[in-house]
Structures are given as structure tokens and as C-alpha cells.
Amino acid sequence: MRCADEHDLGTPARTDGKPVTVEVDGVPVTVPEGTSVMRAAAEAGVSIPKLCATDALEAFGSCRLCLVEVEGRRGYPASCTTLVAPGMKVRTQSKKLAELRRGVMELYISDHPLDCLTCPANGHCELQDMAGAVGLREVRYGTTGADHLEQAQDASNPYFTFDPTKCIVCSRCVRACDEVQGTFALTIEGRGFGSAVSAGGTPFMDSECVSCGACVQACPTSTLMEKSLIEHGQPDHSVVTTCAYCGVGCSFRAEMQGAEVVRMVPNADGGANHGHSCVKGRFAWGYATHPDRITKPMIRRSIDDPWREVTWDEAVDHAASEFKRIQAAHGRGAVGGITSSRCTNEEVYLVQKLVRAAFGNNNVDTCARVCHSPTGYGLKQTLGESAGTQDFDSVEDADVVMLIGANPTDAHPVFASQMKQRLREGAQLIVVDPRVIDLVRTPHVEAAVHVALRPGTNVAVANALAHVIVTEGLAKEDFVRARCEAPAYAQWKAFITDPKNSPETLADAIGVPAERLRDAARLYAGARNAAIYYGLGVTEHSQGSTMVIAIANLAMVTGNLGRRGVGVNPLRGQNNVQGSCDMGSFPHELPGYRHVSDPAVRALFESAWDVKLHAEPGLRIPNMFDAALDGSFRGLYVQGEDIAQSDPDTEHVEAALRAMECIVVQDLFMNETARFAHVFLPGSSFLEKDGTFTNAERRISRVRKVMPPRAGLSEWEATAALSEALGYPMRYAHPSEIMDEIARLTPTFHGVSYAKLDRLGSLQWPCNDAAPEGTPTMHVDEFVRGKGKFLLTEYVPTEERATARFPLLLTTGRILSQYNVGAQTRRTENSRWHEEDLLELHPHDAEQRGIRDGDRVSVTSRAGETVLGARLAERMQPGVVYTTFHHPMSGANVVTTENSDWATNCPEYKVTAVQVALASSPAAWQARFAEFRDQQASLLPGATPAPAPAAPAAPPAPARTGAR
Amino acid sequence: MEPMKLVKMANEIAAFFSADPDRAAALEGVAQHLKRFWDPRMRTELLVWVDQHGGAGLVPLALDAVRARRTDLTPR
């Protein structure tokens, strides 16, 4: 059931097509050609009864309720499938129509439970509404005939139930799974009276259903209904807010009873998601009220001491005094901060402001360091702005999609559904990925070319594609001449046409036949509109920035920039990682991507903030760890990041954290980083705050508080309090004032305000005088830097290579049901889909090692060792293994190394040389981790003290040699 | 910070810019990158490594960039 606050217009809107004027019940209405009579009537304010139609899905015409009379036409056509025609006159009510509709409803109700008063849909049921609308007074079929009222419920899914006794077989759920989600998990089995919705003959939980909730939302009755709604009853109000999971930034309506969330329903007006969702945003919000939430500030002297709950004032004063002490003893640069890509723009802005104004340095960084920092570097160098060039809707005009190092069906599911719609319409797909990701072959979608490259050879692939494009005359020279710097292009052209960059030369290194590379290049360059989408499989490499530059080169040389359907589209991972970067959470850039050394920019902020700012770049996160180990960095304020779990080379990170004197963690839970902390400031979930997030398409959307912050202070208030205690007051009454300040100081945000966001729903930056309602497509007439710049992208193989000792290459990624370090999703029912991280390996590699599916295996690299369960998977290529990092105990990052992107230090998570072998016990790190975790748990207030560690076993007696 | 780590990072920066056939431009690229993205203590350590150990381990382009732009790279 969709949100009651939304008005369903019956069939989808048509936006193209010339205007057509019709008359509905005497009311003239003009709509685009291709619009249904039902929708035209709705827009004229006339509601035609309906059950199988909904404006999220194409018309189906099965329920026969929406019949109308059309002047000059015979019969009673269904208004949902009848298109408007010029001069059409429609009558929606007549004695005959009423008789037909009552007859239809009579049939429906003859096979439907009459338990409205206790049904969970009571008060918000379309079947109930239609019975009322048609004036149904009797059901003449009696109650002794065959019916479906004894069928069993399917409650296997943790979030919703399927009650077939309530089903009217309108097929909305089936069509939603097909058209909207693109999974095709449902069908109508049987015929006639025997027709029934089926999830492939199995319970939902065992089917291909991905729990996106589209079927639940489409269902007009309580057949498919959220368990939370069944439990709580109907909501009394709803609040529009934005999801706090991935970079799609879905808009939701939080439906509430008082301050309690009943359910989250995707907002049909959401600019990014258009009424769709995934399992995480739709259902996995229970972590916000999980018992693990820490809601009181805590402090302790050392990490071996018990935590002590204190007041906010005491916690903040203690943190401030520690930071000041450290700076007095070790210098201004001895402390720093890490901002959260989960927190709002306003909260992040205040943390970087605190670091710069209160700490007096530029030691501020954010989790983009470990994901898309190469995007920021590479696109800034080539195009002039550190962000993607399009909006999500742009894919609707793409003819070819090239997907590089991304797996959107898992990591950006709602956008993946939109992409799949375009692919089903005929757009072609090139996948560049070592694995056979779902999109290579999924219902009604098949990649035209799959470049299953060897990990670490991205730049070789991009160079080979570019070589083909230029040498085969596929370059758009007119575009390049008009829009790009000529000398740089000439230099790049000479470089790229060198035979060393040909597919034939690079094929061996890449591990893909040269002809396949040529096919991919010709397909991309030959399209009218070709778009590149990429993810962390591009950036998390030693040549991450080089590859981003190479992607920009490809887009420029083929003229695929500056309009819809094309572009360079980084799929940013987190809900506000784009925003965190926009807000200046980088050690070298102030808000708006302006270098700290620029005196004019510094002067602007110095004037606004009334403080002298440092002109030198500060430490990046990996540099902070190194500096901690050499003693020059000793204090850290961590807002909403879990670096102990998410950053590579875990033992190095842990050593660095232990070396610091004051770590302040601001978070929802006692996470892995907080176990090394000295001050814990309780944070707020997205449900407890006002602010904005910026998604992967630069869309700034409102986050709205639906319940008070459980910790008593909003996160921004906590940061402001800390800043005040440090001697730098920050006086704001509301987050909107913080955004007003951001807008004053940041040209790309100049036109942004809460009032405008409330009016328009969302805004894509740049939003300024030239684009007061935002900018969906960038670089239309010229690039932000003026002319685009080609840069040379020499392929430099990573130092991390398979060897005799470590013959396999490990790459890492994410899955649909869990999210990043799992702090949120592990505390929801989503864990039922992914209880542990597993190691995927090809059956050939497994057989060579005597490994069977489900065996425990050690994964060892030069950095460390961990033990995981094995899963054999044909989608892996021999020589490559894969795991996720959602569970702390997996220790995926114990194994990843210190290798990183040359420009940004973004870790090379995607290439680690490893060996895999059968294991009979957990790895040493895992044993230490469990012990430390238990020890730290015992230090929480109210915890039971941990048992004393077991005495170490006595060493074995020396062997007798026989010598006397 | 371990000097060899800084050497490795500097060499990787040099590997990118060495694609430029104009050596002067490549040298400038390396130097500017260090100046714009490296914290002062990292630059200082690298300069000390060059002074005291001849920049052992640095590839020629990185070593030349540090030497040629020493003043610019020295934190104020």
C-alpha cells in the first residue's frame, strides 16, 4: 500500500508528445499525447474507480472497474488502457457504468474475507474504497461456493507478509517486480479461478525476491503488507526525509504514530528514486532504536579503564582540555578530525570548521579518502569539478552504458533498477569487471560485452579502448576541437596511438582477448549517447586517479559530455559522501573544493569565521595513522566513521589508534574504533535530525527529524559545544542557519536554502544565480575549468602481484542486504540474508586446494591473515577471490595492504595478493579481536566484568637429546 | 613517518608525471603535487631524507623535483 498522503493518478505520466484536449464529464483538460483517459480524468479532478491501475506501473486493463463511455464509440472501454484523442468526450458515470462496476465488485467481494474491522488495511484499503465508491450493497453469490479463504499465509520474509486470502489477483505486485524493480521474481500461476500470485513456487524468503518492497507498495489490499504496519496500525502522519544508506539518496515518507515510525514508504516525488526503494532504506531502519544504541556521553582515562557515564558538559570539557593539552605539548598539528559521510552537510561542515578554526590546522579528512577521493582528483584535473556530470534520469537517454568496477544491483539498487529499465528498452551494456556481476546476465538484460579483466589492469583497458577509438577514426574531433585544450589533446593523441596502448599489446596483461576490447571500444564510441558509470572498482587501486582521468579522456574524445544520456557518473557510495566532500572535509580544500593555499578563498573564510586559517594542507587519514605511530599526531575527533573496521591494514590502524592519547568518537554504537576511544559522544540517527544530504548526482535533499534525539543533543549541537569548549564558539539556532552560512561562502551552494528545498523538494548543485533551480547536467556549454584537459595515463602495473607465495588476487565489495561496515544493517533483520562474510572462489581454485563449499579457509597476505567460510562461485574467474567486509570479525582488512592510489592515498582494496588454504581454527587476529571485543564490552557501564584471561599454556618441555 | 613510505609515495607520483615527454613539466607536476597535497611534516621528512641520505630510493624525477623546488616545498 502506498502512502495515504499521495494521490495516485492511475497511469504513468507522459512528458513528451503534443498537447491533446479532451472533455471529461464536461470538464476540458489538456494532457500530452499518449496519456490515458484515466489520468486525464484524474488531472481534471475526476476520480474513476480502479483496482489494477496505479501510476507507478503501465496500464494493464484487467480489473474492468475503470470502464467509461466515450462519445461516438461503442461499448465501455477501460479508461486505463484507452489513450486520449483530440476532441474526445468522456463520461465517467452513468446507470450502465454503475451497474457494471457493482457487478465487478460483487465478484471480488464474493471471494474476499469480510473482516474489514480487524484487517490491517482497515482505513487505507483500495478494495474497501472501491466497494464504497461503487455503492456495493449486496453480494448475491453467497458463501458456500469455492473460494480462497483458507489459504496459508507466507510470513517467511522478516519484513512483510503475504496473505493470499486477501489477494484480488490484480497483478500489481507482479508488474511492480517486473517494471519497477526488474527482478521478475513474481508471477501469476494458474488460470481463471486458479490464478494466484507466486514467488516462483517457494516462500518469499527462499525466492529471488530482493525485498525491495515494490510489491508491498503496489498492493491495493493487505495481501502484501509490512509486519510493522500490521503490528502498529495505521499511521497518523508522515514526514518526508532522505535515506541514510547509499549514495542514491532515496526520498522516503516516514509514516508515524506520534514519534514512532510505523513504516518507511518511498516518496513518489523523490527526485532520485521516483517512488522506489531497496531492502535497506525501506525496511532496515530499526537500528535507530536498537538496544545497542549508546545515549549517554562517556569518558575514560585509558582504553583499559571502564567507561564512566557523564554529562554532556563534562564530556565536552574533558575532550577539549585533552586536545588543548596535546596541542600545547606537541604542536598545533598534533590533533585532527574525521568527518562522517553518514552525517548531514551541516554537521560535517561544523566538524571541518572546528578543525580549521578551533584546532587551527587542516588535519580533516573523510571516508571519501578510502572510496572516491580519486574521483575528486581526476575529474577536477580534467573537467574542473569534483563530481559526476549527470543526474540519474540521464540514463533514460543512454544508448550504451559502460559499467566499470561497479555492481549497482547490490550497491545502488534503486538506480540499478532504473538502469535495467533502460537496458530492457534496448540500450546496450558493456561491463568491465573481473566478476560476472548480476548485470552481465539478469532477466531480460544481457551485457553485449563483458571485459572480465584481471584486477589491477583498469588503466590498460581504458588505454586500449582509447587507442581503438582514435586509430579507427571514431573520435569526435569536432567536439574535441571546440571544447578541449588543443595542445593537451595533441600530446595525448600521440601517446594513446602508440602501439604499446593497443589491445593486442595489452591483452595478455588484461587477460581478455584483444577483439573483445575492440568490440567494447567500437560499441561505446559508435553510440549516439554513451554513458560511463563507475564505482570503487575504479578508484580503489594504485592507479585509481589515473583511471578516473582515463575515463574522462574517453568521454571527451567521444563527445559524450554536456547533455543527457552521456557523461561520467561516479556511483558514490554513502548517503552523504558527496556532501562531505562538498563541505571541505579534505585536508587540502575548503568547502567548494578550493585549495587552502588560495589567499582569496582563505580571506573569505577568515572574514566569515573571524579566525586566521592555516595555508598548508593537512594530514589525510592514512597519514594520520603514520603520524600517530611516529608520535606527531596524538588526538583525533572521529564523527561517525569506523576506521578500525573500514580502513586497510587493520593491525597498522589499531597500532596507530593505541598510540594516540585522546580519541573522541561521536557515533550511535560502540563500534570497533570506539573501543580505542577515550571519549564517547552519542550521535543521532537520520530519524533524529534536521539537515541535508547530497547524493551521487549532486542532489541536495532534506533530512527531517521525526523523533527527538535520543542522546538529548543533536549532533551539530555536540560539535558546537566541543568547539565552544575549545575556545571557538559556534552560535546557530537551527541547521538551516548553518546551510545559510554554507550558501554564503560556497558558490556552488549559493542559491540553496531550506525554504527553496521545501518548495522544490531537492536541488542539484551548482545552484546559483545562473541556475537558481539547480543543475542536472553539467558542462553543457563549456567545462567548469573552461576547456577540458586530456592528461596522459601511462599504465603502471600495481606492485601488488600474484606470486608463488601469494598466487591469488583478492578483491573486495559489498552486497545488497548489508551496508559497509554493517553497523546499521547488522542490527536489523537484514542479517538473515548475510550472517557472515564469505570468501568466494572459483571451483578450479578450490579444487586445487582441496576446498569444498562451506569449508573454513585461511586468507593470507603479506599484511596478515584471517579465516572465513568458503563459497564456490562460477562468477569468479580462476585466480581471483572475493569477499565483503560487513562483519568486524571477518577481518577482511587485516589482509588488505598499505598500497594506495598515487594521488590521493585511496587504498588499493581491490588488489591484494593472497593464498587460501583450509583452516582448522580462527586466525590469531580473530582470537585477539574476540578477546579485545569482550574485554571492551566488559568496560561498558552496567556490564559484567570479563573473566580474567586464561594463563598462557606452559611451554613444552625441551626434547631429550639423549646426550648427558 | 617511515621515510621509505614517503619515498614510495613520491616515486608513485613521479611514475604518473613521467609519462609527460616534457621533463620540465613533469618535474613541475611532481613538485606541485607534493606542495599541494602533502602535510608539511611529510615534506620536511622527505627533504631531510634527501639531505641526509641523498634521497636514496627516489627515482630520478622525484629526486630532481625535490631538489629543484626545495624552497617551495620547505614549510614556512
Side-chain angles (χ1 to χ4, degrees):
Chain A
M1 194 75 68
R2 70 195 279 171
C3 181
D5 294 341
E6 290 179 351
H7 181 41
D8 189 340
L9 294 163
T11 59
R14 298 294 180 235
T15 48
D16 304 326
K18 48 187 196 300
V20 174
T21 301
V22 300
E23 207 176 274
V24 179
D25 294 343
V27 177
V29 60
T30 302
V31 291
E33 190 178 25
T35 303
S36 71
V37 167
M38 174 182 283
R39 189 170 178 112
E43 293 192 19
V46 177
S47 271
I48 301 175
K50 63 175 181 61
L51 274 174
C52 73
T54 176
D55 62 16
L57 304 171
E58 293 301 322
F60 196 57
S62 73
C63 74
R64 315 315 293 176
L65 206 54
C66 67
L67 309 180
V68 292
E69 293 170 358
V70 178
E71 189 178 282
R73 293 193 193 183
R74 295 176 59 180
Y76 306 95
S79 58
C80 64
T81 49
T82 303
L83 302 184
V84 297
M88 185 186 258
K89 289 187 176 162
V90 178
R91 196 167 157 204
T92 70
Q93 298 288 348
S94 69
K95 191 161 179 257
K96 184 62 182 172
L97 287 173
E99 187 187 306
L100 289 169
R101 288 176 187 150
R102 271 198 293 274
V104 166
M105 286 307 300
E106 204 175 354
L107 284 167
Y108 274 123
I109 301 300
S110 71
D111 186 15
H112 197 85
L114 298 175
D115 61 349
C116 287
L117 290 181
T118 53
C119 175
N122 188 15
H124 184 39
C125 170
E126 290 188 52
L127 188 70
Q128 193 178 52
D129 292 343
M130 292 304 106
V134 307
L136 187 69
R137 294 292 170 259
E138 61 175 343
V139 178
R140 295 164 292 171
Y141 296 98
T143 56
T144 56
D147 59 37
H148 296 88
L149 303 185
E150 298 302 320
Q151 295 196 315
Q153 264 198 21
D154 174 0
S156 60
N157 188 289
Y159 295 122
F160 61 86
T161 57
F162 171 56
D163 182 358
T165 67
K166 304 284 174 75
C167 183
I168 60 171
V169 200
C170 66
S171 80
R172 277 196 201 173
C173 53
V174 175
R175 287 181 283 136
C177 193
D178 296 354
E179 292 173 34
V180 177
Q181 168 55 26
T183 295
F184 297 82
L186 303 179
T187 189
I188 302 290
E189 269 186 357
R191 300 179 67 179
F193 184 76
S195 302
V197 171
S198 168
T202 68
F204 267 83
M205 194 62 182
D206 301 331
S207 73
E208 290 176 351
C209 166
V210 294
S211 300
C212 67
C215 58
V216 179
Q217 197 175 339
C219 183
T221 67
S222 66
T223 305
L224 285 158
M225 182 157 271
E226 297 90 343
K227 289 182 175 176
S228 58
L229 185 54
I230 295 171
E231 182 191 340
H232 291 280
Q234 296 293 336
D236 54 56
H237 71 281
S238 70
V239 178
V240 174
T241 189
T242 304
C243 184
Y245 277 116
C246 83
V248 174
C250 294
S251 178
F252 276 92
R253 289 181 178 274
E255 291 196 334
M256 314 290 299
Q257 280 179 347
E260 195 158 343
V261 177
V262 174
R263 64 174 188 160
M264 298 289 283
V265 187
N267 178 13
D269 294 328
N273 60 319
H274 305 300
H276 191 37
S277 62
C278 84
V279 62
K280 295 187 292 290
R282 183 74 159 90
F283 296 117
W285 39 267
Y287 68 87
T289 51
H290 193 276
D292 283 355
R293 278 285 300 270
I294 303 214
T295 56
K296 294 193 168 55
M298 303 189 293
I299 62 174
R300 58 182 178 177
R301 277 272 151 225
S302 94
I303 69 170
D304 296 316
D305 291 339
W307 285 102
R308 189 164 61 87
E309 286 178 351
V310 295
T311 63
W312 272 104
D313 283 346
E314 192 176 344
V316 157
D317 286 345
H318 175 73
S321 74
E322 279 291 280
F323 284 134
K324 285 193 241 182
R325 177 187 65 74
I326 291 169
Q327 286 189 299
H330 302 286
R332 183 171 54 166
V335 299
I338 296 174
T339 74
S340 175
S341 297
R342 227 60 76 74
C343 287
T344 64
N345 289 319
E346 295 78 0
E347 290 163 342
V348 163
Y349 177 83
L350 288 198
V351 172
Q352 64 83 34
K353 186 176 179 183
L354 180 154
V355 170
R356 295 191 151 112
F359 285 167
N361 61 50
N362 286 316
N363 294 337
V364 63
D365 206 357
T366 185
C367 97
R369 181 64 47 204
V370 302
C371 64
H372 267 285
S373 51
T375 288
Y377 180 85
L379 294 187
K380 180 101 176 188
Q381 298 296 311
T382 50
L383 308 181
E385 191 59 275
S386 299
T389 65
Q390 320 289 123
D391 61 0
F392 289 140
D393 286 353
S394 168
V395 76
E396 293 169 3
D397 288 331
D399 299 303
V400 170
V401 169
M402 181 147 67
L403 189 61
I404 309 177
N407 186 16
T409 48
D410 279 38
H412 299 85
V414 171
F415 174 66
S417 292
Q418 188 175 20
M419 184 188 283
K420 284 193 289 185
Q421 285 170 6
R422 181 66 195 123
L423 295 172
R424 289 197 300 275
E425 286 172 0
Q428 294 189 280
L429 177 65
I430 304 165
V431 172
V432 181
D433 199 291
R435 300 185 304 153
V436 181
I437 60 169
D438 284 353
L439 276 173
V440 169
R441 197 154 196 277
T442 198
H444 303 284
V445 168
E446 188 167 1
V449 183
H450 178 204
V451 178
L453 74 173
R454 201 163 280 134
T457 60
N458 288 337
V459 173
V461 169
N463 285 353
L465 298 182
H467 178 93
V468 173
I469 289 169
V470 174
T471 57
E472 291 191 7
L474 300 173
K476 296 289 193 294
E477 299 287 354
D478 287 348
F479 179 89
V480 173
R481 207 166 15 252
R483 298 283 308 262
C484 304
E485 286 184 11
Y489 178 59
Q491 187 183 58
W492 176 80
K493 202 169 173 181
F495 159 77
I496 207 67
T497 51
D498 190 305
K500 71 179 178 187
N501 289 316
S502 73
E504 289 69 24
T505 305
L506 294 169
D508 271 349
I510 296 169
V512 167
E515 205 47 39
R516 193 169 312 156
L517 295 166
R518 288 195 177 270
D519 288 343
R522 291 164 187 156
L523 185 56
Y524 174 72
R528 184 180 57 109
N529 286 338
I532 296 175
Y533 292 84
Y534 72 90
L536 305 187
V538 159
T539 56
E540 290 175 348
H541 283 274
S542 59
Q543 282 203 293
S545 292
T546 309
M547 183 57 182
V548 173
I549 291 168
I551 286 172
N553 289 344
L554 282 171
M556 285 191 286
V557 78
T558 54
N560 279 308
L561 284 159
R563 61 185 190 282
R564 273 178 63 100
V566 300
V568 175
N569 301 271
L571 293 172
R572 310 292 304 240
Q574 304 207 47
N575 57 300
N576 201 35
V577 65
Q578 180 70 54
S580 183
C581 300
D582 300 342
M583 294 298 105
S585 300
F586 282 140
H588 66 291
E589 282 175 337
L590 286 155
Y593 302 103
R594 294 165 291 173
H595 204 274
V596 295
S597 66
D598 185 332
V601 173
R602 248 186 7 261
L604 177 71
F605 283 92
E606 285 175 345
S607 169
W609 294 353
D610 193 23
V611 70
K612 195 95 178 84
L613 296 177
H614 199 41
E616 292 273 22
L619 293 168
R620 300 164 172 169
I621 294 174
N623 311 145
M624 291 179 186
F625 300 147
D626 291 333
L629 287 169
D630 77 14
S632 69
F633 188 78
R634 295 175 182 240
L636 183 62
Y637 173 32
V638 185
Q639 177 204 43
E641 287 299 329
D642 195 1
I643 49 189
Q645 186 177 343
S646 61
D647 282 49
D649 200 357
T650 303
E651 297 195 85
H652 176 74
V653 175
E654 289 179 348
L657 293 174
R658 283 181 191 278
M660 291 192 223
E661 295 176 21
C662 178
I663 296 175
V664 177
V665 166
Q666 187 167 331
D667 212 295
L668 305 181
F669 305 107
M670 180 54 57
N671 61 24
E672 308 318 307
T673 305
R675 302 196 210 287
F676 297 91
H678 308 86
V679 179
F680 189 98
L681 303 178
S684 313
S685 73
F686 77 113
L687 296 171
E688 301 156 68
K689 55 181 71 173
D690 281 309
T692 54
F693 292 151
T694 307
N695 75 351
E697 43 164 13
R698 296 171 279 106
R699 184 182 299 278
I700 307 161
S701 300
R702 278 299 316 277
V703 181
R704 293 186 176 88
K705 187 189 296 191
V706 305
M707 58 180 68
R710 300 184 76 207
L713 271 193
S714 296
E715 293 220 43
W716 70 268
E717 288 174 318
T719 303
L722 178 59
S723 187
E724 174 120 21
L726 286 165
Y728 184 80
M730 292 186 189
R731 301 265 151 79
Y732 305 95
H734 188 270
S736 61
E737 294 180 6
I738 304 171
M739 179 51 76
D740 290 342
E741 180 176 313
I742 293 166
R744 280 196 300 277
L745 297 173
T746 315
T748 46
F749 276 65
H750 179 68
V752 178
S753 68
Y754 276 33
K756 192 185 270 190
L757 287 168
D758 286 346
R759 184 165 53 84
L760 296 176
S762 58
L763 289 162
Q764 287 170 272
W765 67 257
C767 174
N768 47 31
D769 293 340
E773 296 196 352
T775 311
T777 306
M778 292 190 69
H779 315 295
V780 173
D781 296 316
E782 63 171 9
F783 293 104
V784 168
R785 70 184 304 281
K787 298 269 190 185
K789 185 168 185 178
F790 284 81
L791 290 172
L792 303 179
T793 53
E794 188 80 49
Y795 168 52
V796 178
T798 172
E799 287 181 6
E800 192 68 17
R801 320 238 177 109
T803 62
R805 192 167 165 222
F806 303 114
L808 303 170
L809 292 179
L810 170 72
T811 189
T812 58
R814 293 153 173 77
I815 60 157
L816 171 66
S817 59
Q818 292 285 359
Y819 184 68
N820 280 9
V821 296
Q824 298 151 284
T825 44
R826 276 185 286 114
R827 292 177 169 95
T828 69
E829 293 282 358
N830 279 26
S831 283
R832 288 175 54 176
W833 283 283
H834 189 79
E835 289 175 343
E836 60 172 325
D837 298 315
L838 298 172
L839 184 83
E840 279 190 38
L841 66 165
H842 190 274
H844 171 73
D845 293 330
E847 188 185 17
Q848 282 193 325
R849 291 161 174 80
I851 293 170
R852 292 168 306 180
D853 201 73
D855 282 343
R856 304 299 292 177
V857 295
S858 65
V859 185
T860 311
S861 75
R862 60 183 171 83
E865 180 193 3
T866 193
V867 169
L868 298 167
R871 173 187 282 159
L872 275 54
E874 294 272 354
R875 71 170 178 170
M876 299 306 302
Q877 56 175 280
V880 180
V881 297
Y882 168 86
T883 191
T884 49
F885 60 101
H886 303 302
H887 294 267
M889 180 64 105
S890 323
N893 282 319
V894 172
V895 172
T896 53
T897 72
E898 81 293 350
N899 276 356
S900 66
D901 171 55
W902 66 269
T904 63
N905 287 144
C906 181
E908 190 167 52
Y909 288 117
K910 301 309 188 192
V911 192
T912 306
V914 298
Q915 177 57 291
V916 175
L918 283 170
S920 54
S921 59
W925 177 84
Q926 288 169 310
R928 286 196 303 275
F929 170 85
E931 193 181 319
F932 183 61
R933 179 198 56 201
D934 294 344
Q935 184 242 359
Q936 287 295 315
S938 73
L939 299 175
L940 288 169
T944 309
R960 291 183 182 278
T961 62
R964 293 181 187 275
Chain B
M1 203 164 292
E2 283 174 32
M4 291 319 292
K5 215 170 203 177
L6 297 175
V7 165
K8 179 176 186 249
M9 285 164 56
N11 285 347
E12 287 171 349
I13 294 166
F16 174 79
F17 287 102
S18 66
D20 194 335
D22 179 343
R23 197 165 194 279
L27 190 146
E28 193 60 27
V30 174
Q32 282 303 311
H33 193 91
L34 295 174
K35 185 171 149 71
R36 287 174 71 78
F37 296 104
W38 279 30
D39 176 270
R41 76 196 85 181
M42 292 164 64
R43 301 199 314 258
T44 298
E45 267 202 65
L46 188 65
L47 288 167
V48 165
W49 183 256
V50 168
D51 291 342
Q52 294 182 358
H53 301 275
L58 284 171
V59 297
L61 181 62
L63 183 56
D64 290 348
V66 173
R67 284 185 172 144
R69 296 288 180 269
R70 181 194 186 82
T71 308
D72 227 10
L73 292 173
T74 303
R76 287 178 185 68

